[in-house]
Amino acid sequence: MVRIAFVILLSVFASAASAQSPVPGSQDPRFVQATDDWLNGDELAALKELASLANEGQVAAKILVSRIADAPWFSAHIAQTLNRKERIALFREPKGLSGRDWLTSASEENELARAMWQTQSYVPPDLPDFETVVPTLASYGEAKLLLRFFIETWQFGKEDVAARALLENDALFGAAGRDFLGFVLLSMEQDGKQPPLPAGINNTDEARAFLGWLRQDIHRFAYSGSYPVDAGRVAMPTQPDGLSTLAMAVQALPELQPLTLFCEVTCGPQEQEACLADTVWIVSRTGAFPYPFSSPAQSLIPDETYWFSARFFKDLGRNLKSRDWQGCR
């Protein structure tokens, strides 16, 4: 009953990413075609066109090339086929000997690019403008980038900014966001700070129940890819109870549903449990959680668009093969 009550409670306060003006260049027919080509697996030609658009000054292309280059999942197999000069030309802005991240110049032209750049380019004590960066990324739907950035807000005493964003955007952050929200609220309480809570929570018992719900095992799994089974032990596919636990956890989380489809297509009916458990275990070891199957730039390519593209299975299969996935069993 506690879980049901808080699901209803959070649904009242949840808000999806608010509508934003399109990223400059994102509706350009050349950018749209290049993105479609990339999703359909013609990635080298698509990346060359995106690099050309970026060199012409298009912000959307700069952001997408930067995000693809930053993720080995999407770029390593291409980069390893190119020489140094070709890699720089494809993935970097032609500045200096080694080129530079396209976000550098894009950040001077666009608020989304500026917020993205601030998550990775500052040197303390020149801290990001948390009050601007967080709502900007949330409004554009950049959940993966932003949830990882919340570690910085916590480290530098701005955890209240993260807590407010997580409370206000539950639908965007989902289960992984709830786990981190629980961590932040507990940390604030331990530091003697007043943690923000949803309206309707009026006493200590209700607050404790809410925190317990936030940090339940399935939410921790969504954030880290590890599912606790008892003190000091996490579920592993080599253990009978771990195999079933991991498989059920995958099936419970919307952000992992592409993996369910992958296993249904790739393995036989009697091999589904092992496929789900083995695959999510390997993916979790790569550090891809939270949102391990997100698109390279959620503001430009929605996750669902990537999941149902021709390249998703190819990306997943290639990366599993590189990590000695044993296939169906």
Side-chain angles (χ1 to χ4, degrees):
M1 291 301 292
V2 169
R3 177 178 180 178
I4 294 172
F6 282 123
V7 168
I8 295 172
L9 176 64
L10 281 175
S11 69
V12 175
F13 294 95
S15 61
S18 60
Q20 284 290 333
S21 300
V23 178
S26 61
Q27 297 178 327
D28 183 317
R30 288 174 61 195
F31 177 82
V32 172
Q33 185 61 58
T35 302
D36 287 344
D37 290 344
W38 185 81
L39 289 168
N40 287 323
D42 190 9
E43 53 190 325
L44 187 56
L47 286 168
K48 288 180 178 178
E49 176 69 348
L50 289 170
S52 177
L53 290 169
N55 276 290
E56 292 173 19
Q58 191 188 92
V59 170
K62 291 181 179 183
I63 291 174
L64 186 53
V65 172
S66 171
R67 299 307 299 153
I68 290 173
D70 191 56
W73 179 279
F74 299 115
S75 60
H77 63 292
I78 292 292
Q80 67 187 11
T81 68
L82 307 174
N83 61 40
R84 181 175 180 276
K85 183 177 180 180
E86 291 170 333
R87 286 196 300 272
I88 292 172
L90 196 64
F91 292 118
R92 307 277 288 175
E93 185 174 11
K95 298 286 184 179
L97 293 177
S98 300
R100 67 177 184 179
D101 192 323
W102 276 111
L103 280 181
T104 308
S105 59
S107 68
E108 300 169 358
E109 307 166 43
N110 174 260
E111 63 172 354
L112 172 61
R114 185 159 48 252
M116 288 178 159
W117 182 238
Q118 286 196 61
T119 68
Q120 64 188 51
S121 64
Y122 66 91
V123 178
D126 297 324
L127 300 180
D129 177 3
F130 294 110
E131 295 283 359
T132 300
V133 171
V134 170
T136 297
L137 292 177
S139 68
Y140 279 96
E142 287 286 351
K144 185 181 182 79
L145 182 62
L146 185 49
L147 191 54
R148 291 188 169 190
F149 180 61
F150 282 153
I151 292 289
E152 306 299 332
T153 66
W154 169 72
Q155 288 180 333
F156 293 105
K158 299 291 185 178
E159 61 266 46
D160 60 314
V161 179
R164 291 198 308 270
L166 289 162
L167 281 168
E168 293 167 2
N169 297 278
D170 179 75
L172 172 64
F173 292 105
R178 292 170 200 144
D179 179 66
F180 192 76
L181 175 60
F183 165 77
V184 168
L185 296 182
L186 286 170
S187 176
M188 292 181 71
E189 182 182 60
Q190 291 168 359
D191 290 342
K193 299 179 181 180
Q194 182 62 44
L197 295 169
I201 295 181
N202 301 310
N203 57 56
T204 301
D205 288 342
E206 290 176 348
R208 286 294 174 196
F210 178 60
L211 289 172
W213 175 75
L214 289 174
R215 304 225 73 194
Q216 62 181 298
D217 291 344
I218 191 64
H219 294 166
R220 294 192 182 191
F221 174 70
Y223 183 82
S224 67
S226 294
Y227 198 104
V229 290
D230 54 37
R233 189 169 70 94
V234 298
M236 299 175 63
T238 52
Q239 305 162 341
D241 61 339
L243 194 74
S244 59
T245 297
L246 288 173
M248 288 188 292
V250 169
Q251 293 170 322
L253 293 173
E255 58 266 44
L256 298 184
Q257 289 314 293
L259 180 51
T260 300
L261 180 59
F262 172 82
C263 286
E264 288 176 351
V265 171
T266 306
C267 298
Q270 304 305 315
E271 300 168 320
Q272 295 299 301
E273 187 174 71
C275 177
L276 292 171
D278 288 344
T279 305
V280 79
W281 175 259
I282 289 175
V283 172
S284 71
R285 301 308 100 183
T286 70
F289 276 78
Y291 318 118
F293 305 126
S294 65
S295 89
Q298 293 168 299
S299 51
L300 295 170
I301 303 174
D303 286 347
E304 292 80 2
T305 300
Y306 169 57
W307 295 344
F308 291 102
S309 72
R311 69 169 300 130
F312 175 75
F313 278 17
K314 293 181 180 178
D315 285 342
L316 181 55
R318 180 182 61 253
N319 282 284
L320 290 175
K321 183 178 180 181
S322 70
R323 294 181 178 274
D324 297 323
W325 184 66
Q326 299 303 306
C328 308
R329 64 180 175 89

